[in-house]
Amino acid sequence: MKLSKKQDNSITHDFLGKFGSSTVLLKKAPEGTGVIAGGPARSVCELAGIKNIRTKSLGSNNKQNVVLATIAGLSQLKTPEEVARNRGKSVDEVMA
């Protein structure tokens, strides 16, 4: 899991985490938003140290699958530096 460089304790980009028939939409949020998430996803985000995030559970609401989908989504996030390196571009080109 990668927090954004601006130190707003949010994720670097929006992402969908999937596990089984559960899907969790993880959305970047500005400073002061807090953790806007349902019970299972909220617990995972708080334990991961994320302070500002919005989530939406899609598909099955099975608690175990929502937790695993949230973890899967957070584990696949990339920093802007990683994306730039993979694309062979500068961070400024990626962020534009």
Side-chain angles (χ1 to χ4, degrees):
M1 184 222 30
K2 310 287 188 225
L3 297 179
S4 68
K5 195 159 194 149
K6 294 188 291 184
Q7 297 302 321
D8 59 1
N9 292 319
S10 186
I11 56 177
T12 54
H13 56 88
D14 298 352
F15 200 77
L16 284 173
K18 296 180 183 179
F19 185 87
S21 60
S22 293
T23 302
V24 176
L25 172 63
L26 305 166
K27 293 195 65 145
K28 183 177 175 176
E31 182 69 34
T33 302
V35 177
I36 300 175
R42 174 183 290 273
S43 298
V44 173
C45 292
E46 287 175 348
L47 289 171
I50 299 172
K51 304 287 186 207
N52 300 296
I53 191 169
R54 294 177 292 196
T55 69
K56 177 69 180 170
S57 177
L58 308 167
S60 172
N61 289 325
N62 177 298
K63 291 178 182 180
Q64 183 175 358
N65 285 354
V66 171
V67 166
L68 293 171
T70 305
I71 292 169
L74 291 174
S75 66
Q76 294 178 27
L77 292 174
K78 296 182 178 171
T79 64
E81 291 81 11
E82 289 173 318
V83 173
R85 185 176 53 248
N86 290 341
R87 294 183 184 176
K89 298 185 175 194
S90 71
V91 176
D92 293 334
E93 289 176 317
V94 172
M95 298 301 287

